[in-house]
């Protein structure tokens, strides 16, 4: 793990960021990413089935044996995770580690600043709402000594 | 019709069972004391020659056979109903013994519930027929130069001879095979490969339409695919069988891709023949290629495996085709050649 308690330095600055990953529609890879995130202590993820294309200057992406370029949408998976700014790098690195194949079509990750997080059940806001029991924040706070 | 079935107890030790005493029946023969006791009494509707008493060796062989079958059960259950694409080439195709071993393995896999698809190459046959037609085979950097006449011969030999020969062997072994090439039902649409200017009608896979394979596989037949395909204008191209097998595996949603080759695999340490890599993930194998640990001829096969995995095939394996029953060893046991997974 890198030094997660240092300020990550993204702009615009925010307490929280949403990590939006567009990944291959590949069950094995999806499960691998989820397992990696769970190991990391991420306890909340939203997944949706989407379609998309993103061409790379004429190179084609292979999907089910056939080549595709700009004009066709291919099935993809979108994964959305909201975390504190200190956890962003670890999550991004983990997604890349599990989802990279080296072939065109591996996908992209977007970082979006999030103004606030509210838990519906209790009304908590901010860091209280983002924190999940037994998650990465709990693990980190047992490691980091606040001087 | 059997009234009593031979009963196998869990310990596989034949317990002494009381056969129905029927002194007047000519089917029950007194057994020599040294042989293991008979498992049961088989009564059939019509009279037949009473079988000779089983020798100890035959009985032991039978026990070991059912032992092995029983051990294979978890693998059979795991892969039952799953599609497996096998690329067949190299020595396994040239030697009649290895050939019949692969064919029998395919039929066995089909019988236990897997759905095999066979993709084949056929280099050596092409050369001999080119000579018969009076054309000298030409190669550039190890790759065949395929001009118009050569392409005609390639198509005839691969689709007409090699393909149908394999179909026939599978039929003889008890399976039923259907022979196809890329042109059939537009299974594969080709496009010229980047070095087509120098090498002629050598193609890459532009599109795979596996629609025609589904009813064939569903009805229990084994598709046998020759990797000759046409482009949008109908011009025939020869496509590398490893590459085509990988894309077909991706298109049918195969569980496994198996490439039969003439090498035992990749060595983690080239000076240590015992350091054969058995299992590796995509990142690991890419690192090995970058480190120069993968021999030249293996690199395209490894890349084909990675492409197949990226497109959803669960495991891609490179198997030593010179080992008899290599297919069965790979699928129905924990013994692996090189298996690449995500």
């Amino acid at each position: 793990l890198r030094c997660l308690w240092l300020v990550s330095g993204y702009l615009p600055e925010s307490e929280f960021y949403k990590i939006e990953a567009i990944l291959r529609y590949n069950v094995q890879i999806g499960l691998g990413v989820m397992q990696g995130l769970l190991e990391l202590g991420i306890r909340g993820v939203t997944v949706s089935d989407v379609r998309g294309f993103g061409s790379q200057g004429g190179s084609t992406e292979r999907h089910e044996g056939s080549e595709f370029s700009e004009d066709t949408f291919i099935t993809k998976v979108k994964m959305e995770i909201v975390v504190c700014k200190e956890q962003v790098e670890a999550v991004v690195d983990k997604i890349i580690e599990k989802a990279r194949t080296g072939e065109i079509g591996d996908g992209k990750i977007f970082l979006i600043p999030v103004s606030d997080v509210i838990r519906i059940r209790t009304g908590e806001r901010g860091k209280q709402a983002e924190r999940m029991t037994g998650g990465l924040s709990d693990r980190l706070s047992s490691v980091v000594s606040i001087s | 019709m059997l009234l009593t079935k031979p009963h196998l107890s869990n310990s596989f030790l034949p317990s002494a069972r009381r056969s129905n005493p029927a002194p007047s029946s000519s089917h029950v023969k007194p057994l020599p004391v040294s042989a293991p006791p008979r498992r049961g009494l088989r009564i059939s509707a019509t009279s037949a020659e009473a079988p000779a008493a089983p020798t100890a060796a035959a009985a032991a062989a039978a026990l070991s056979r059912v032992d092995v079958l029983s051990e294979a059960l978890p693998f059979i259950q795991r892969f039952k109903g799953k599609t497996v694409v096998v690329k067949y080439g190299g020595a396994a195709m040239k030697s009649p013994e290895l050939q019949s071993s692969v064919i029998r393995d395919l039929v066995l896999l089909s019988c236990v519930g897997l759905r095999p698809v066979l993709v084949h190459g056929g280099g050596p046959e092409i050369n001999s027929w080119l000579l018969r037609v009076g054309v000298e085979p030409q190669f550039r950097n190890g790759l065949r130069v395929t001009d118009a006449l050569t392409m005609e011969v390639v198509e005839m030999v691969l689709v007409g001879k090699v393909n149908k020969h394999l179909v026939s062997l599978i039929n003889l072994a008890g399976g039923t095979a259907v022979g196809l090439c890329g042109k059939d039902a537009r299974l594969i649409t080709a496009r010229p490969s980047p070095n087509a200017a120098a090498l002629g009608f050598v193609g890459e896979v532009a599109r795979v339409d596996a629609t025609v394979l589904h009813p064939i596989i569903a009805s229990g037949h084994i598709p046998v695919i020759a990797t000759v395909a046409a482009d949008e204008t109908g011009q025939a191209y020869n496509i590398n069988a490893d590459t085509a097998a990988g894309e077909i595996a991706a298109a049918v949603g195969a569980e496994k891709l198996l490439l039969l080759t003439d090498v035992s695999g990749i060595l983690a340490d080239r000076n240590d023949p015992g350091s054969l890599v058995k299992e590796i993930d995509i990142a690991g194998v890419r690192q090995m290629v970058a480190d120069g640990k993968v021999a030249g001829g293996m690199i395209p096969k490894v890349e084909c495996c990675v492409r197949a995995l990226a497109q959803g095939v669960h495991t891609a394996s490179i198997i030593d085709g010179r080992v008899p029953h290599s297919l069965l060893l790979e699928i129905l046991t924990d013994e692996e050649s090189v298996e690449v997974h995500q």
Side-chain angles (χ1 to χ4, degrees), chain A residues 1-6 10 86 89-90 92-93 140:
Chain A
L1 289 177
R2 300 231 219 106
C3 303
L4 291 168
W5 54 87
L6 297 179
Y10 301 108
E86 297 85 19
E89 280 303 307
V92 167
D93 286 346
L140 285 180

Side-chain angles (χ1 to χ4, degrees), chain B residues 173-186:
Chain B
T176 37
V178 177
L180 301 167
C181 78
K183 291 181 174 181
D184 293 304
R186 290 192 207 101

Side-chain angles (χ1 to χ4, degrees), chain B residues 29-260:
Chain B
K29 282 184 100 166
L31 296 170
V33 176
S34 55
R38 182 180 276 220
R39 295 183 303 271
L41 168 65
R42 183 178 293 178
I43 304 175
S44 45
T46 56
S47 65
E49 276 298 310
T55 65
L63 279 180
S64 123
R65 203 162 50 236
V66 296
D67 235 326
V68 164
L69 272 179
S70 183
E71 274 171 24
L73 177 64
F75 297 93
I76 296 174
Q77 286 173 319
R78 194 191 315 171
F79 298 124
K80 193 173 164 79
K82 301 283 167 79
T83 307
V84 169
V85 174
V86 178
K87 184 265 168 174
Y88 182 40
M93 218 163 153
K94 292 176 210 149
S95 130
E97 299 83 34
L98 288 175
Q99 197 174 59
S100 90
S101 147
V102 170
I103 299 293
R104 277 181 64 103
D105 288 358
L106 272 182
V107 174
L108 172 65
L109 291 175
S110 181
C111 284
V112 299
L114 278 78
R115 297 173 171 199
V117 174
L118 190 64
V119 179
H120 66 86
E125 291 260 21
I126 297 173
N127 285 337
S128 75
W129 280 96
L130 278 173
L131 291 171
R132 272 183 240 205
V133 170
V135 176
E136 192 66 35
Q138 277 190 299
F139 289 86
R140 211 166 281 170
N141 294 333
L143 299 168
R144 179 191 302 283
V145 177
T146 313
D147 60 6
L149 179 55
T150 307
M151 188 59 227
E152 280 190 52
V153 175
V154 164
E155 183 165 358
M156 287 193 291
V157 170
L158 283 184
V159 182
K161 185 167 191 298
V162 176
N163 187 268
K164 301 313 168 192
H165 177 62
L166 289 172
V167 166
S168 179
L169 287 177
I170 294 176
N171 292 344
L172 284 173
T176 37
V178 177
L180 301 167
C181 78
K183 291 181 174 181
D184 293 304
R186 290 192 207 101
L187 176 58
I188 307 174
T189 308
R191 63 165 167 79
S193 88
N195 47 11
L199 292 179
F201 295 111
V202 174
E204 305 211 350
V205 176
R207 203 153 53 245
V208 180
D209 181 359
T211 319
V212 73
L213 292 180
H214 297 304
I216 296 175
I217 296 171
S219 55
H221 302 311
I222 302 176
V224 181
I225 303 172
T227 58
V228 169
D231 68 2
E232 306 276 346
T233 68
Q235 169 61 50
Y237 287 86
N238 187 13
I239 302 179
N240 177 273
D242 291 311
T243 316
E247 307 306 343
I248 290 171
V252 297
E255 169 82 17
K256 282 180 172 290
L257 170 68
L258 304 167
L259 304 179
L260 286 169

Side-chain angles (χ1 to χ4, degrees), chain A residues 87-99:
Chain A
Q87 301 164 2
V88 171
E89 280 303 307
V91 173
V92 167
D93 286 346
K94 181 61 74 175
I95 294 175
I96 291 177
E97 176 198 328
K98 295 291 182 183

Side-chain angles (χ1 to χ4, degrees), chain A residues 30-46:
Chain A
L31 288 177
V33 173
M34 286 316 307
Q35 205 156 352
L37 292 176
L38 284 171
E39 279 167 22
L40 206 49
I42 300 300
R43 290 275 174 278
V45 180
T46 306

Side-chain angles (χ1 to χ4, degrees), chain A residues 24-29 60 62-67 100-103 106, chain B residues 191 205-208 247 250-251 282 286 306-307 309-312 314 342:
Chain A
R24 282 181 193 282
Y25 191 81
N26 180 320
V27 173
Q28 298 252 291
I29 287 180
T60 53
R62 279 202 182 272
H63 181 73
E64 288 180 354
S66 306
E67 293 176 319
R100 173 182 284 167
T101 68
E103 300 291 320
D106 276 346
Chain B
R191 63 165 167 79
V205 176
R207 203 153 53 245
V208 180
E247 307 306 343
I282 295 182
R286 286 217 189 268
V306 170
R307 263 200 310 274
L309 290 167
Q311 294 178 78
H314 287 197
Q342 269 130 14

